[in-house]
PDB file of all heavy atoms in Angstrom:
ATOM      1  N   ILE W  13     131.389  93.657  91.742  1.00  0.00           N
ATOM      2  CA  ILE W  13     132.479  94.588  91.468  1.00  0.00           C
ATOM      3  C   ILE W  13     132.305  95.822  92.342  1.00  0.00           C
ATOM      4  O   ILE W  13     131.772  96.856  91.911  1.00  0.00           O
ATOM      5  CB  ILE W  13     132.560  94.957  89.976  1.00  0.00           C
ATOM      6  CG1 ILE W  13     132.654  93.697  89.116  1.00  0.00           C
ATOM      7  CG2 ILE W  13     133.749  95.875  89.704  1.00  0.00           C
ATOM      8  CD1 ILE W  13     132.619  93.949  87.631  1.00  0.00           C
ATOM      9  N   SER W  14     132.649  95.712  93.577  1.00  0.00           N
ATOM     10  CA  SER W  14     132.731  96.787  94.581  1.00  0.00           C
ATOM     11  C   SER W  14     131.394  97.352  95.031  1.00  0.00           C
ATOM     12  O   SER W  14     131.371  98.315  95.796  1.00  0.00           O
ATOM     13  CB  SER W  14     133.617  97.941  94.071  1.00  0.00           C
ATOM     14  OG  SER W  14     132.939  98.817  93.180  1.00  0.00           O
ATOM     15  N   GLY W  15     130.261  96.777  94.578  1.00  0.00           N
ATOM     16  CA  GLY W  15     128.967  97.349  94.904  1.00  0.00           C
ATOM     17  C   GLY W  15     128.254  96.755  96.103  1.00  0.00           C
ATOM     18  O   GLY W  15     127.105  97.119  96.387  1.00  0.00           O
ATOM     19  N   THR W  16     128.902  95.832  96.819  1.00  0.00           N
ATOM     20  CA  THR W  16     128.296  95.247  98.018  1.00  0.00           C
ATOM     21  C   THR W  16     128.671  96.108  99.211  1.00  0.00           C
ATOM     22  O   THR W  16     129.664  95.852  99.898  1.00  0.00           O
ATOM     23  CB  THR W  16     128.732  93.791  98.202  1.00  0.00           C
ATOM     24  OG1 THR W  16     128.313  93.031  97.061  1.00  0.00           O
ATOM     25  CG2 THR W  16     128.095  93.177  99.441  1.00  0.00           C
ATOM     26  N   ASN W  17     127.909  97.167  99.424  1.00  0.00           N
ATOM     27  CA  ASN W  17     128.188  98.095 100.505  1.00  0.00           C
ATOM     28  C   ASN W  17     127.606  97.595 101.833  1.00  0.00           C
ATOM     29  O   ASN W  17     126.681  96.766 101.854  1.00  0.00           O
ATOM     30  CB  ASN W  17     127.639  99.491 100.173  1.00  0.00           C
ATOM     31  CG  ASN W  17     126.153  99.487  99.835  1.00  0.00           C
ATOM     32  OD1 ASN W  17     125.324  99.481 100.745  1.00  0.00           O
ATOM     33  ND2 ASN W  17     125.806  99.530  98.547  1.00  0.00           N
ATOM     34  N   ARG W  18     128.149  98.108 102.934  1.00  0.00           N
ATOM     35  CA  ARG W  18     127.745  97.627 104.258  1.00  0.00           C
ATOM     36  C   ARG W  18     126.256  97.826 104.540  1.00  0.00           C
ATOM     37  O   ARG W  18     125.608  96.907 105.046  1.00  0.00           O
ATOM     38  CB  ARG W  18     128.594  98.309 105.336  1.00  0.00           C
ATOM     39  CG  ARG W  18     128.317  97.795 106.750  1.00  0.00           C
ATOM     40  CD  ARG W  18     128.651  96.321 106.847  1.00  0.00           C
ATOM     41  NE  ARG W  18     128.241  95.755 108.110  1.00  0.00           N
ATOM     42  CZ  ARG W  18     128.400  94.474 108.450  1.00  0.00           C
ATOM     43  NH1 ARG W  18     128.962  93.639 107.605  1.00  0.00           N
ATOM     44  NH2 ARG W  18     127.997  94.032 109.603  1.00  0.00           N
ATOM     45  N   PRO W  19     125.657  98.986 104.245  1.00  0.00           N
ATOM     46  CA  PRO W  19     124.210  99.124 104.474  1.00  0.00           C
ATOM     47  C   PRO W  19     123.376  98.112 103.699  1.00  0.00           C
ATOM     48  O   PRO W  19     122.317  97.690 104.176  1.00  0.00           O
ATOM     49  CB  PRO W  19     123.921 100.557 104.020  1.00  0.00           C
ATOM     50  CG  PRO W  19     125.206 101.283 104.236  1.00  0.00           C
ATOM     51  CD  PRO W  19     126.266 100.287 103.871  1.00  0.00           C
ATOM     52  N   LEU W  20     123.839  97.684 102.528  1.00  0.00           N
ATOM     53  CA  LEU W  20     123.124  96.679 101.752  1.00  0.00           C
ATOM     54  C   LEU W  20     123.192  95.319 102.438  1.00  0.00           C
ATOM     55  O   LEU W  20     122.195  94.588 102.496  1.00  0.00           O
ATOM     56  CB  LEU W  20     123.708  96.609 100.337  1.00  0.00           C
ATOM     57  CG  LEU W  20     123.132  95.582  99.367  1.00  0.00           C
ATOM     58  CD1 LEU W  20     121.613  95.637  99.342  1.00  0.00           C
ATOM     59  CD2 LEU W  20     123.690  95.808  97.959  1.00  0.00           C
ATOM     60  N   VAL W  21     124.350  94.966 102.954  1.00  0.00           N
ATOM     61  CA  VAL W  21     124.482  93.715 103.707  1.00  0.00           C
ATOM     62  C   VAL W  21     123.552  93.722 104.919  1.00  0.00           C
ATOM     63  O   VAL W  21     122.853  92.737 105.198  1.00  0.00           O
ATOM     64  CB  VAL W  21     125.942  93.501 104.148  1.00  0.00           C
ATOM     65  CG1 VAL W  21     126.059  92.302 105.091  1.00  0.00           C
ATOM     66  CG2 VAL W  21     126.849  93.318 102.935  1.00  0.00           C
ATOM     67  N   GLU W  22     123.503  94.832 105.634  1.00  0.00           N
ATOM     68  CA  GLU W  22     122.640  94.955 106.805  1.00  0.00           C
ATOM     69  C   GLU W  22     121.163  94.913 106.418  1.00  0.00           C
ATOM     70  O   GLU W  22     120.333  94.358 107.145  1.00  0.00           O
ATOM     71  CB  GLU W  22     122.963  96.239 107.555  1.00  0.00           C
ATOM     72  CG  GLU W  22     124.348  96.230 108.195  1.00  0.00           C
ATOM     73  CD  GLU W  22     124.734  97.563 108.804  1.00  0.00           C
ATOM     74  OE1 GLU W  22     124.096  98.592 108.444  1.00  0.00           O
ATOM     75  OE2 GLU W  22     125.660  97.588 109.655  1.00  0.00           O
ATOM     76  N   LEU W  23     120.829  95.487 105.265  1.00  0.00           N
ATOM     77  CA  LEU W  23     119.449  95.455 104.783  1.00  0.00           C
ATOM     78  C   LEU W  23     119.012  94.026 104.505  1.00  0.00           C
ATOM     79  O   LEU W  23     117.907  93.616 104.879  1.00  0.00           O
ATOM     80  CB  LEU W  23     119.321  96.311 103.522  1.00  0.00           C
ATOM     81  CG  LEU W  23     117.991  96.240 102.765  1.00  0.00           C
ATOM     82  CD1 LEU W  23     116.824  96.677 103.649  1.00  0.00           C
ATOM     83  CD2 LEU W  23     118.053  97.112 101.494  1.00  0.00           C
ATOM     84  N   GLU W  24     119.840  93.240 103.854  1.00  0.00           N
ATOM     85  CA  GLU W  24     119.488  91.846 103.560  1.00  0.00           C
ATOM     86  C   GLU W  24     119.328  91.033 104.841  1.00  0.00           C
ATOM     87  O   GLU W  24     118.436  90.179 104.931  1.00  0.00           O
ATOM     88  CB  GLU W  24     120.537  91.234 102.633  1.00  0.00           C
ATOM     89  CG  GLU W  24     120.437  91.799 101.215  1.00  0.00           C
ATOM     90  CD  GLU W  24     121.466  91.267 100.250  1.00  0.00           C
ATOM     91  OE1 GLU W  24     122.545  90.817 100.702  1.00  0.00           O
ATOM     92  OE2 GLU W  24     121.223  91.316  99.030  1.00  0.00           O
ATOM     93  N   ARG W  25     120.149  91.302 105.834  1.00  0.00           N
ATOM     94  CA  ARG W  25     119.989  90.614 107.114  1.00  0.00           C
ATOM     95  C   ARG W  25     118.671  91.010 107.776  1.00  0.00           C
ATOM     96  O   ARG W  25     117.994  90.161 108.371  1.00  0.00           O
ATOM     97  CB  ARG W  25     121.170  90.940 108.028  1.00  0.00           C
ATOM     98  CG  ARG W  25     122.486  90.316 107.575  1.00  0.00           C
ATOM     99  CD  ARG W  25     123.646  90.778 108.425  1.00  0.00           C
ATOM    100  NE  ARG W  25     124.897  90.138 108.016  1.00  0.00           N
ATOM    101  CZ  ARG W  25     126.094  90.462 108.490  1.00  0.00           C
ATOM    102  NH1 ARG W  25     126.203  91.435 109.415  1.00  0.00           N
ATOM    103  NH2 ARG W  25     127.189  89.842 108.051  1.00  0.00           N
ATOM    104  N   SER W  26     118.308  92.274 107.681  1.00  0.00           N
ATOM    105  CA  SER W  26     117.062  92.757 108.256  1.00  0.00           C
ATOM    106  C   SER W  26     115.859  92.109 107.586  1.00  0.00           C
ATOM    107  O   SER W  26     114.877  91.747 108.242  1.00  0.00           O
ATOM    108  CB  SER W  26     116.988  94.282 108.124  1.00  0.00           C
ATOM    109  OG  SER W  26     115.805  94.797 108.686  1.00  0.00           O
ATOM    110  N   LEU W  27     115.927  91.942 106.261  1.00  0.00           N
ATOM    111  CA  LEU W  27     114.837  91.319 105.516  1.00  0.00           C
ATOM    112  C   LEU W  27     114.724  89.825 105.830  1.00  0.00           C
ATOM    113  O   LEU W  27     113.623  89.292 105.967  1.00  0.00           O
ATOM    114  CB  LEU W  27     115.050  91.526 104.013  1.00  0.00           C
ATOM    115  CG  LEU W  27     114.819  92.950 103.514  1.00  0.00           C
ATOM    116  CD1 LEU W  27     115.402  93.132 102.124  1.00  0.00           C
ATOM    117  CD2 LEU W  27     113.327  93.281 103.520  1.00  0.00           C
ATOM    118  N   ALA W  28     115.852  89.144 105.948  1.00  0.00           N
ATOM    119  CA  ALA W  28     115.823  87.729 106.320  1.00  0.00           C
ATOM    120  C   ALA W  28     115.177  87.556 107.689  1.00  0.00           C
ATOM    121  O   ALA W  28     114.363  86.650 107.908  1.00  0.00           O
ATOM    122  CB  ALA W  28     117.242  87.157 106.307  1.00  0.00           C
ATOM    123  N   ASP W  29     115.534  88.432 108.616  1.00  0.00           N
ATOM    124  CA  ASP W  29     114.928  88.387 109.953  1.00  0.00           C
ATOM    125  C   ASP W  29     113.439  88.689 109.896  1.00  0.00           C
ATOM    126  O   ASP W  29     112.640  88.044 110.600  1.00  0.00           O
ATOM    127  CB  ASP W  29     115.624  89.386 110.873  1.00  0.00           C
ATOM    128  CG  ASP W  29     114.926  89.535 112.217  1.00  0.00           C
ATOM    129  OD1 ASP W  29     115.052  88.616 113.052  1.00  0.00           O
ATOM    130  OD2 ASP W  29     114.226  90.555 112.424  1.00  0.00           O
ATOM    131  N   LEU W  30     113.029  89.647 109.075  1.00  0.00           N
ATOM    132  CA  LEU W  30     111.616  90.005 108.959  1.00  0.00           C
ATOM    133  C   LEU W  30     110.780  88.796 108.594  1.00  0.00           C
ATOM    134  O   LEU W  30     109.689  88.587 109.149  1.00  0.00           O
ATOM    135  CB  LEU W  30     111.441  91.108 107.912  1.00  0.00           C
ATOM    136  CG  LEU W  30     110.001  91.504 107.570  1.00  0.00           C
ATOM    137  CD1 LEU W  30     109.318  92.160 108.767  1.00  0.00           C
ATOM    138  CD2 LEU W  30     109.968  92.437 106.357  1.00  0.00           C
ATOM    139  N   HIS W  31     111.268  87.985 107.667  1.00  0.00           N
ATOM    140  CA  HIS W  31     110.499  86.849 107.168  1.00  0.00           C
ATOM    141  C   HIS W  31     110.906  85.512 107.788  1.00  0.00           C
ATOM    142  O   HIS W  31     110.442  84.464 107.352  1.00  0.00           O
ATOM    143  CB  HIS W  31     110.602  86.782 105.645  1.00  0.00           C
ATOM    144  CG  HIS W  31     109.977  87.946 104.950  1.00  0.00           C
ATOM    145  ND1 HIS W  31     108.610  88.170 104.951  1.00  0.00           N
ATOM    146  CD2 HIS W  31     110.528  88.974 104.245  1.00  0.00           C
ATOM    147  CE1 HIS W  31     108.344  89.268 104.267  1.00  0.00           C
ATOM    148  NE2 HIS W  31     109.485  89.779 103.838  1.00  0.00           N
ATOM    149  N   ARG W  32     111.804  85.564 108.789  1.00  0.00           N
ATOM    150  CA  ARG W  32     112.252  84.356 109.481  1.00  0.00           C
ATOM    151  C   ARG W  32     112.842  83.340 108.495  1.00  0.00           C
ATOM    152  O   ARG W  32     112.578  82.146 108.587  1.00  0.00           O
ATOM    153  CB  ARG W  32     111.109  83.720 110.269  1.00  0.00           C
ATOM    154  CG  ARG W  32     110.407  84.668 111.245  1.00  0.00           C
ATOM    155  CD  ARG W  32     111.312  85.219 112.307  1.00  0.00           C
ATOM    156  NE  ARG W  32     110.575  85.883 113.390  1.00  0.00           N
ATOM    157  CZ  ARG W  32     111.114  86.743 114.251  1.00  0.00           C
ATOM    158  NH1 ARG W  32     112.402  87.048 114.166  1.00  0.00           N
ATOM    159  NH2 ARG W  32     110.381  87.294 115.209  1.00  0.00           N
ATOM    160  N   LYS W  33     113.653  83.838 107.558  1.00  0.00           N
ATOM    161  CA  LYS W  33     114.321  82.993 106.582  1.00  0.00           C
ATOM    162  C   LYS W  33     115.827  83.051 106.794  1.00  0.00           C
ATOM    163  O   LYS W  33     116.357  83.930 107.470  1.00  0.00           O
ATOM    164  CB  LYS W  33     113.988  83.441 105.154  1.00  0.00           C
ATOM    165  CG  LYS W  33     112.509  83.369 104.788  1.00  0.00           C
ATOM    166  CD  LYS W  33     111.987  81.949 104.827  1.00  0.00           C
ATOM    167  CE  LYS W  33     110.530  81.862 104.361  1.00  0.00           C
ATOM    168  NZ  LYS W  33     109.979  80.480 104.530  1.00  0.00           N
ATOM    169  N   GLU W  34     116.529  82.107 106.199  1.00  0.00           N
ATOM    170  CA  GLU W  34     117.973  82.036 106.373  1.00  0.00           C
ATOM    171  C   GLU W  34     118.700  83.169 105.664  1.00  0.00           C
ATOM    172  O   GLU W  34     119.766  83.605 106.108  1.00  0.00           O
ATOM    173  CB  GLU W  34     118.502  80.695 105.849  1.00  0.00           C
ATOM    174  CG  GLU W  34     118.057  79.491 106.666  1.00  0.00           C
ATOM    175  CD  GLU W  34     118.564  78.186 106.081  1.00  0.00           C
ATOM    176  OE1 GLU W  34     119.117  78.180 104.961  1.00  0.00           O
ATOM    177  OE2 GLU W  34     118.394  77.153 106.752  1.00  0.00           O
ATOM    178  N   ALA W  35     118.149  83.644 104.564  1.00  0.00           N
ATOM    179  CA  ALA W  35     118.860  84.649 103.782  1.00  0.00           C
ATOM    180  C   ALA W  35     117.864  85.477 102.975  1.00  0.00           C
ATOM    181  O   ALA W  35     116.701  85.109 102.794  1.00  0.00           O
ATOM    182  CB  ALA W  35     119.866  83.983 102.844  1.00  0.00           C
ATOM    183  N   ALA W  36     118.346  86.606 102.478  1.00  0.00           N
ATOM    184  CA  ALA W  36     117.561  87.467 101.603  1.00  0.00           C
ATOM    185  C   ALA W  36     118.483  88.051 100.547  1.00  0.00           C
ATOM    186  O   ALA W  36     119.701  88.115 100.728  1.00  0.00           O
ATOM    187  CB  ALA W  36     116.867  88.587 102.386  1.00  0.00           C
ATOM    188  N   LEU W  37     117.909  88.476  99.444  1.00  0.00           N
ATOM    189  CA  LEU W  37     118.669  89.040  98.336  1.00  0.00           C
ATOM    190  C   LEU W  37     117.917  90.254  97.805  1.00  0.00           C
ATOM    191  O   LEU W  37     116.730  90.163  97.488  1.00  0.00           O
ATOM    192  CB  LEU W  37     118.844  87.992  97.229  1.00  0.00           C
ATOM    193  CG  LEU W  37     119.901  88.265  96.161  1.00  0.00           C
ATOM    194  CD1 LEU W  37     121.305  88.253  96.763  1.00  0.00           C
ATOM    195  CD2 LEU W  37     119.797  87.232  95.045  1.00  0.00           C
ATOM    196  N   VAL W  38     118.612  91.384  97.691  1.00  0.00           N
ATOM    197  CA  VAL W  38     117.995  92.642  97.273  1.00  0.00           C
ATOM    198  C   VAL W  38     118.261  92.910  95.803  1.00  0.00           C
ATOM    199  O   VAL W  38     119.378  92.726  95.310  1.00  0.00           O
ATOM    200  CB  VAL W  38     118.517  93.810  98.142  1.00  0.00           C
ATOM    201  CG1 VAL W  38     118.122  95.157  97.547  1.00  0.00           C
ATOM    202  CG2 VAL W  38     117.968  93.686  99.562  1.00  0.00           C
ATOM    203  N   PHE W  39     117.219  93.375  95.115  1.00  0.00           N
ATOM    204  CA  PHE W  39     117.287  93.747  93.707  1.00  0.00           C
ATOM    205  C   PHE W  39     116.929  95.229  93.559  1.00  0.00           C
ATOM    206  O   PHE W  39     116.530  95.880  94.512  1.00  0.00           O
ATOM    207  CB  PHE W  39     116.312  92.908  92.877  1.00  0.00           C
ATOM    208  CG  PHE W  39     116.587  91.430  92.898  1.00  0.00           C
ATOM    209  CD1 PHE W  39     116.195  90.645  93.981  1.00  0.00           C
ATOM    210  CD2 PHE W  39     117.221  90.810  91.834  1.00  0.00           C
ATOM    211  CE1 PHE W  39     116.445  89.280  93.998  1.00  0.00           C
ATOM    212  CE2 PHE W  39     117.473  89.449  91.843  1.00  0.00           C
ATOM    213  CZ  PHE W  39     117.087  88.690  92.929  1.00  0.00           C
ATOM    214  N   THR W  40     117.053  95.735  92.344  1.00  0.00           N
ATOM    215  CA  THR W  40     116.793  97.147  92.104  1.00  0.00           C
ATOM    216  C   THR W  40     115.314  97.507  92.120  1.00  0.00           C
ATOM    217  O   THR W  40     114.969  98.678  92.274  1.00  0.00           O
ATOM    218  CB  THR W  40     117.405  97.594  90.767  1.00  0.00           C
ATOM    219  OG1 THR W  40     116.966  96.701  89.730  1.00  0.00           O
ATOM    220  CG2 THR W  40     118.929  97.572  90.851  1.00  0.00           C
ATOM    221  N   SER W  41     114.431  96.539  91.940  1.00  0.00           N
ATOM    222  CA  SER W  41     112.993  96.802  92.004  1.00  0.00           C
ATOM    223  C   SER W  41     112.252  95.503  92.253  1.00  0.00           C
ATOM    224  O   SER W  41     112.805  94.407  92.074  1.00  0.00           O
ATOM    225  CB  SER W  41     112.481  97.445  90.702  1.00  0.00           C
ATOM    226  OG  SER W  41     112.400  96.477  89.654  1.00  0.00           O
ATOM    227  N   GLY W  42     110.970  95.627  92.623  1.00  0.00           N
ATOM    228  CA  GLY W  42     110.142  94.447  92.793  1.00  0.00           C
ATOM    229  C   GLY W  42     109.902  93.723  91.479  1.00  0.00           C
ATOM    230  O   GLY W  42     109.791  92.489  91.452  1.00  0.00           O
ATOM    231  N   PHE W  43     109.790  94.466  90.388  1.00  0.00           N
ATOM    232  CA  PHE W  43     109.628  93.837  89.076  1.00  0.00           C
ATOM    233  C   PHE W  43     110.828  92.954  88.764  1.00  0.00           C
ATOM    234  O   PHE W  43     110.681  91.796  88.361  1.00  0.00           O
ATOM    235  CB  PHE W  43     109.467  94.910  87.995  1.00  0.00           C
ATOM    236  CG  PHE W  43     108.986  94.367  86.674  1.00  0.00           C
ATOM    237  CD1 PHE W  43     107.713  94.590  86.239  1.00  0.00           C
ATOM    238  CD2 PHE W  43     109.798  93.626  85.845  1.00  0.00           C
ATOM    239  CE1 PHE W  43     107.252  94.085  85.029  1.00  0.00           C
ATOM    240  CE2 PHE W  43     109.340  93.123  84.635  1.00  0.00           C
ATOM    241  CZ  PHE W  43     108.076  93.361  84.223  1.00  0.00           C
ATOM    242  N   VAL W  44     112.014  93.495  88.984  1.00  0.00           N
ATOM    243  CA  VAL W  44     113.231  92.750  88.685  1.00  0.00           C
ATOM    244  C   VAL W  44     113.364  91.530  89.589  1.00  0.00           C
ATOM    245  O   VAL W  44     113.762  90.452  89.140  1.00  0.00           O
ATOM    246  CB  VAL W  44     114.468  93.662  88.805  1.00  0.00           C
ATOM    247  CG1 VAL W  44     115.757  92.852  88.640  1.00  0.00           C
ATOM    248  CG2 VAL W  44     114.411  94.769  87.759  1.00  0.00           C
ATOM    249  N   SER W  45     113.027  91.672  90.863  1.00  0.00           N
ATOM    250  CA  SER W  45     113.164  90.533  91.772  1.00  0.00           C
ATOM    251  C   SER W  45     112.238  89.395  91.373  1.00  0.00           C
ATOM    252  O   SER W  45     112.636  88.224  91.417  1.00  0.00           O
ATOM    253  CB  SER W  45     112.905  90.956  93.224  1.00  0.00           C
ATOM    254  OG  SER W  45     111.629  91.533  93.396  1.00  0.00           O
ATOM    255  N   ASN W  46     111.022  89.701  90.945  1.00  0.00           N
ATOM    256  CA  ASN W  46     110.112  88.656  90.479  1.00  0.00           C
ATOM    257  C   ASN W  46     110.609  88.016  89.190  1.00  0.00           C
ATOM    258  O   ASN W  46     110.677  86.786  89.063  1.00  0.00           O
ATOM    259  CB  ASN W  46     108.709  89.227  90.255  1.00  0.00           C
ATOM    260  CG  ASN W  46     107.793  89.031  91.442  1.00  0.00           C
ATOM    261  OD1 ASN W  46     107.966  88.123  92.246  1.00  0.00           O
ATOM    262  ND2 ASN W  46     106.788  89.879  91.557  1.00  0.00           N
ATOM    263  N   GLU W  47     110.936  88.852  88.220  1.00  0.00           N
ATOM    264  CA  GLU W  47     111.400  88.338  86.937  1.00  0.00           C
ATOM    265  C   GLU W  47     112.639  87.455  87.111  1.00  0.00           C
ATOM    266  O   GLU W  47     112.721  86.350  86.566  1.00  0.00           O
ATOM    267  CB  GLU W  47     111.702  89.494  85.991  1.00  0.00           C
ATOM    268  CG  GLU W  47     112.181  89.059  84.611  1.00  0.00           C
ATOM    269  CD  GLU W  47     112.522  90.241  83.722  1.00  0.00           C
ATOM    270  OE1 GLU W  47     113.133  91.200  84.235  1.00  0.00           O
ATOM    271  OE2 GLU W  47     112.202  90.208  82.527  1.00  0.00           O
ATOM    272  N   ALA W  48     113.604  87.951  87.870  1.00  0.00           N
ATOM    273  CA  ALA W  48     114.858  87.229  88.044  1.00  0.00           C
ATOM    274  C   ALA W  48     114.685  85.950  88.851  1.00  0.00           C
ATOM    275  O   ALA W  48     115.185  84.881  88.467  1.00  0.00           O
ATOM    276  CB  ALA W  48     115.883  88.135  88.722  1.00  0.00           C
ATOM    277  N   ALA W  49     113.987  86.045  89.977  1.00  0.00           N
ATOM    278  CA  ALA W  49     113.883  84.899  90.872  1.00  0.00           C
ATOM    279  C   ALA W  49     113.066  83.771  90.256  1.00  0.00           C
ATOM    280  O   ALA W  49     113.480  82.604  90.270  1.00  0.00           O
ATOM    281  CB  ALA W  49     113.277  85.330  92.207  1.00  0.00           C
ATOM    282  N   ILE W  50     111.892  84.106  89.712  1.00  0.00           N
ATOM    283  CA  ILE W  50     111.039  83.057  89.146  1.00  0.00           C
ATOM    284  C   ILE W  50     111.722  82.376  87.969  1.00  0.00           C
ATOM    285  O   ILE W  50     111.759  81.151  87.876  1.00  0.00           O
ATOM    286  CB  ILE W  50     109.675  83.637  88.736  1.00  0.00           C
ATOM    287  CG1 ILE W  50     108.897  84.062  89.971  1.00  0.00           C
ATOM    288  CG2 ILE W  50     108.870  82.610  87.925  1.00  0.00           C
ATOM    289  CD1 ILE W  50     107.599  84.803  89.668  1.00  0.00           C
ATOM    290  N   SER W  51     112.270  83.167  87.056  1.00  0.00           N
ATOM    291  CA  SER W  51     112.891  82.579  85.871  1.00  0.00           C
ATOM    292  C   SER W  51     114.103  81.737  86.242  1.00  0.00           C
ATOM    293  O   SER W  51     114.306  80.646  85.698  1.00  0.00           O
ATOM    294  CB  SER W  51     113.286  83.670  84.869  1.00  0.00           C
ATOM    295  OG  SER W  51     114.245  84.558  85.416  1.00  0.00           O
ATOM    296  N   THR W  52     114.901  82.204  87.186  1.00  0.00           N
ATOM    297  CA  THR W  52     116.108  81.481  87.571  1.00  0.00           C
ATOM    298  C   THR W  52     115.772  80.197  88.320  1.00  0.00           C
ATOM    299  O   THR W  52     116.323  79.129  88.022  1.00  0.00           O
ATOM    300  CB  THR W  52     117.015  82.373  88.425  1.00  0.00           C
ATOM    301  OG1 THR W  52     117.360  83.549  87.692  1.00  0.00           O
ATOM    302  CG2 THR W  52     118.278  81.631  88.826  1.00  0.00           C
ATOM    303  N   ILE W  53     114.889  80.292  89.299  1.00  0.00           N
ATOM    304  CA  ILE W  53     114.500  79.113  90.071  1.00  0.00           C
ATOM    305  C   ILE W  53     113.901  78.053  89.152  1.00  0.00           C
ATOM    306  O   ILE W  53     114.241  76.864  89.236  1.00  0.00           O
ATOM    307  CB  ILE W  53     113.515  79.501  91.187  1.00  0.00           C
ATOM    308  CG1 ILE W  53     114.231  80.337  92.251  1.00  0.00           C
ATOM    309  CG2 ILE W  53     112.880  78.256  91.822  1.00  0.00           C
ATOM    310  CD1 ILE W  53     113.296  81.023  93.229  1.00  0.00           C
ATOM    311  N   ALA W  54     113.012  78.479  88.255  1.00  0.00           N
ATOM    312  CA  ALA W  54     112.358  77.530  87.355  1.00  0.00           C
ATOM    313  C   ALA W  54     113.361  76.851  86.428  1.00  0.00           C
ATOM    314  O   ALA W  54     113.279  75.644  86.173  1.00  0.00           O
ATOM    315  CB  ALA W  54     111.273  78.240  86.552  1.00  0.00           C
TER     316      ALA W  54
END
């Protein structure tokens, strides 16, 4: 809902390039990214 701003899109591209991966996804904190990603993937 309107929160995908251009600097955020560019940040995710920069992170994907950093790790040589196809894509990246940004969260509000490292705690949230671990909790969300592990639980969802599993």
Side-chain angles (χ1 to χ4, degrees):
I13 306 175
S14 80
T16 300
N17 55 82
R18 184 62 188 179
L20 178 49
V21 172
E22 293 173 342
L23 172 60
E24 288 179 336
R25 290 174 178 172
S26 181
L27 288 165
D29 172 75
L30 174 66
H31 295 292
R32 306 299 192 198
K33 299 297 184 186
E34 292 178 351
L37 195 66
V38 168
F39 298 79
T40 52
S41 75
F43 193 107
V44 174
S45 58
N46 265 335
E47 181 182 41
I50 292 173
S51 62
T52 301
I53 291 167

